[in-house]
Amino acid sequence: MTAAPDLRNEVAVVTGASGGMGRIIATSLANAGAHVVAIVRDPARVDRGLDVVVADLSRRADVIAAAKVVADRHERIHLIVNNAGAHFAEHRLSADGVEMHLALDYLAAYGLTTLLDGPLRRGRARVVNVASDTLNDTRQVKLVGKPRPATVDLTGVESFADLNPVEGFVPFEAYARAKLLTVTAGYALARDFEPDAVTVNALHPGIVATDIIDDLVPAGLRPFRGLIRRGMLTPAEGAGTALRLATDPELAGVTGRYFVRDDEATTPPVSHDLVVQRRLLALSEAHFAR
């Protein structure tokens, strides 16, 4: 795992810091001297020494409230790692009527990043979004056939309640679509933040043995889940990619990129479509303006 440099006097915000990769990321940054703000749903699972903000990030009101608490406490933020995420095996709606993958895997990161606009700009921050390379291939079993990238069509979409409807719902594709939206919005935000030296990058940490994997394993392969997990990266290995983007001096100033582990990679053409980006930002801004 990449060793973090001296982060004393820096403020780092980490979501999903109560388990798996997030816990390791938060602890590593704290060990490097950062003041770590951990935004979590269950404070009992957070390591001691972290500044805990309790929030259910699938809820719009909680995202707004958490951002306000952080902004009130810290004039400058130097780093935010949007790590919180989940896979849902069935169609579920958030308290705001938004499909849960969209609410937690996309809107939470977008909301925190934009609501903390001022502190991030003053801190010349790095924004690191944990995505997934499912956005490049939504097939759960990849033994045959060509990659099937995630898709998004915002034509006629008036709000996020219109996306990932129950009709035709495929959980794995819904998850991948939310991650696709994360990188799509990230490219646009990177351009907006760049004049203030704020960088925005996304990453796929590799196939990491976290709780999400249990839901992603196809039903026919679940009897072999233990064997499958043993062949995956550990949470510590997965966290290394996020920590590198967050702290490596060689990546200072690098922005608007997507990485698979340590290598820069591509994302579907729709993610670079400026019209799609503008429409996505407009929908996202409207969601948090209600």
Side-chain angles (χ1 to χ4, degrees):
M1 183 168 55
T2 302
D6 186 348
L7 301 179
R8 284 175 291 182
N9 301 318
E10 296 200 358
V11 175
V13 177
V14 180
T15 67
S18 60
M21 278 179 43
R23 190 171 191 171
I24 293 167
I25 291 167
T27 300
S28 298
L29 294 173
N31 289 342
H35 178 94
V36 177
V37 180
I39 303 180
V40 297
R41 189 169 53 180
D42 182 3
R45 298 177 60 196
V46 178
D47 291 339
R48 292 182 180 180
L50 303 185
D51 183 1
V52 177
V53 175
V54 179
D56 178 349
L57 293 178
S58 72
R59 302 171 60 96
R60 177 175 57 230
D62 279 27
V63 174
I64 294 171
K68 185 177 187 308
V69 169
V70 175
D72 286 348
R73 292 178 184 175
H74 303 287
E75 182 181 5
R76 289 177 175 82
I77 296 171
H78 304 89
L79 169 64
I80 180 168
V81 181
N82 290 306
N83 168 74
H87 177 268
F88 302 92
E90 298 178 350
H91 191 275
R92 292 174 53 187
L93 295 179
S94 73
D96 307 300
V98 175
E99 193 274 321
M100 282 292 286
H101 290 103
L102 297 172
L104 184 57
D105 295 323
Y106 166 61
L107 284 168
Y110 171 87
L112 285 173
T113 300
T114 54
L115 291 166
L116 291 172
D117 180 277
L120 290 172
R121 291 183 191 272
R122 288 190 288 273
R124 302 168 70 88
R126 295 191 192 193
V127 178
V128 177
N129 293 321
V130 178
S132 166
D133 211 47
T134 56
L135 60 86
N136 275 317
D137 192 354
T138 61
R139 297 173 301 156
Q140 287 184 271
V141 179
K142 308 184 191 321
L143 298 178
V144 295
K146 296 180 179 180
R148 191 170 61 238
T151 62
V152 60
D153 183 358
L154 300 180
T155 305
V157 173
E158 297 297 327
S159 76
F160 283 97
D162 297 332
L163 288 178
N164 287 356
V166 66
E167 183 179 357
F169 181 75
V170 178
F172 195 67
E173 292 180 5
Y175 172 78
R177 182 170 296 113
K179 297 300 187 180
L180 175 63
L181 295 183
T182 295
V183 299
T184 302
Y187 293 147
L189 292 175
R191 292 193 302 272
D192 179 63
F193 275 124
E194 193 166 16
D196 291 298
V198 175
T199 63
V200 182
N201 294 294
L203 68 111
H204 168 60
I207 307 300
V208 181
T210 63
D211 292 342
I212 289 179
I213 289 300
D214 289 337
D215 287 330
L216 293 180
V217 173
L221 297 178
R222 285 176 187 168
F224 308 100
R225 189 160 43 194
L227 181 62
I228 292 171
R229 287 176 70 99
R230 284 197 292 274
M232 296 177 180
L233 300 175
T234 66
E237 290 171 328
T241 300
L243 288 169
R244 176 173 173 263
L245 284 180
T247 64
D248 190 339
E250 292 186 2
L251 293 177
V254 173
T255 191
R257 312 287 180 84
Y258 170 69
F259 293 83
V260 173
R261 301 291 312 275
D262 291 333
D263 297 322
E264 188 175 343
T266 60
T267 55
V270 68
S271 65
H272 299 282
D273 187 314
L274 298 182
V275 174
V276 173
Q277 290 178 8
R278 285 193 291 268
R279 182 59 184 153
L280 176 58
L281 292 191
L283 288 167
S284 305
E285 291 168 7
H287 177 79
F288 285 101
R290 294 178 182 177

